[in-house]
Amino acid sequence: MQARNSRRRLLVHISGACVALALTACGTADNPYAKLEDPPLVQGSLHVVTLVADTDAPARNIVDDGFTPAPLPPNYPQATAVEASIWGVPEPVAAAVQHFKAPAGKTDVRLLVMPLAARGREAKADVNRAFFRNVLGADVPTWPLSRPADDSVRVQVWTYFVPDIVNASKRLRESGVPVIYDPVGITTSYLGDHRTLAIRAPDGTVVQLVQNSTR
């Protein structure tokens, strides 16, 4: 009887272990960023968060949080066209972007104003976490304002500084991470001379990578 009970406990233990392994394998299959070799692919440092809203009302909330409006000269049209394509907005919207300098310990914020489309796909927390850790070498970024996000404002772009844009592009492509905007060199009034490319986070948010900023 004791031997039979021991065998039963062993079978239950093995069965439970198999279920756990199956669930782990399933989770990995649904999370391609958890399987990337030699992560992180790049070492990114978050520099600016670009918000989009259907009115400029969030500008007041940004200022109330200690950010300082930083009006800048207009970009050359070619640079505005590139930023509009990267950010996924019309050129007039990109040209009218508002810049806000961050207080100590926070990240700069930009604000775009345009009618908002319906919310797109959402990402599972583990997929999002694996993307930022294994692709960018960073924690999942957080909402930059004290007032919670609502349906009238959302993050359009996370912009990260990286050491080498060409190497970043190479590693991203080798690892199967789609580059939605190929590396290009531009000059803007905010970032000066720089090279940039763009990928997309699991939830559809644009992730812009920038090298050689003068700021």
Side-chain angles (χ1 to χ4, degrees), residues 24 27-44 123-141 160 172 175 177 199-203 207:
T24 300
T28 303
D30 293 338
N31 188 353
Y33 305 109
K35 300 183 292 183
L36 294 176
E37 294 184 6
D38 192 24
L41 302 184
V42 303
Q43 192 61 59
K124 294 181 179 179
D126 62 327
V127 175
N128 220 32
R129 183 166 55 251
F131 171 83
F132 282 97
R133 287 183 178 176
N134 294 342
V135 175
L136 298 167
D139 292 330
V140 177
Y160 285 80
L172 291 165
S175 300
V177 178
I199 57 178
R200 202 176 290 281
D203 64 359
V207 176

Side-chain angles (χ1 to χ4, degrees), residues 91-208:
E91 286 187 35
V93 173
V97 63
Q98 300 177 54
H99 300 270
F100 299 86
K101 189 67 178 174
K106 293 191 176 182
T107 303
D108 286 1
V109 168
R110 292 185 287 209
L111 178 64
L112 302 166
V113 178
M114 60 180 281
L116 296 180
R119 285 193 178 273
R121 65 182 186 267
E122 295 184 358
K124 294 181 179 179
D126 62 327
V127 175
N128 220 32
R129 183 166 55 251
F131 171 83
F132 282 97
R133 287 183 178 176
N134 294 342
V135 175
L136 298 167
D139 292 330
V140 177
T142 58
W143 178 249
L145 305 180
S146 60
R147 181 170 178 173
D150 56 34
D151 288 339
S152 66
V153 58
R154 67 189 65 159
V155 174
Q156 183 76 5
V157 187
W158 306 106
T159 298
Y160 285 80
F161 284 168
V162 297
D164 187 330
I165 209 76
V166 173
N167 183 63
S169 178
K170 178 175 181 291
R171 292 216 64 197
L172 291 165
R173 292 181 186 282
E174 287 175 348
S175 300
V177 178
V179 175
I180 62 172
Y181 200 96
D182 288 324
V184 63
I186 59 173
T187 302
T188 65
S189 55
Y190 176 61
L191 290 175
D193 297 331
H194 62 282
R195 303 185 74 181
T196 185
L197 64 76
I199 57 178
R200 202 176 290 281
D203 64 359
T205 305
V206 175
V207 176
Q208 181 182 11

Side-chain angles (χ1 to χ4, degrees), residues 24-65:
T24 300
C26 179
T28 303
D30 293 338
N31 188 353
Y33 305 109
K35 300 183 292 183
L36 294 176
E37 294 184 6
D38 192 24
L41 302 184
V42 303
Q43 192 61 59
S45 174
L46 184 63
H47 177 68
V48 57
V49 182
T50 302
L51 306 179
V52 61
D54 50 12
T55 73
D56 65 358
R60 171 50 54 191
N61 299 330
I62 296 171
V63 172
D64 288 345
D65 277 353

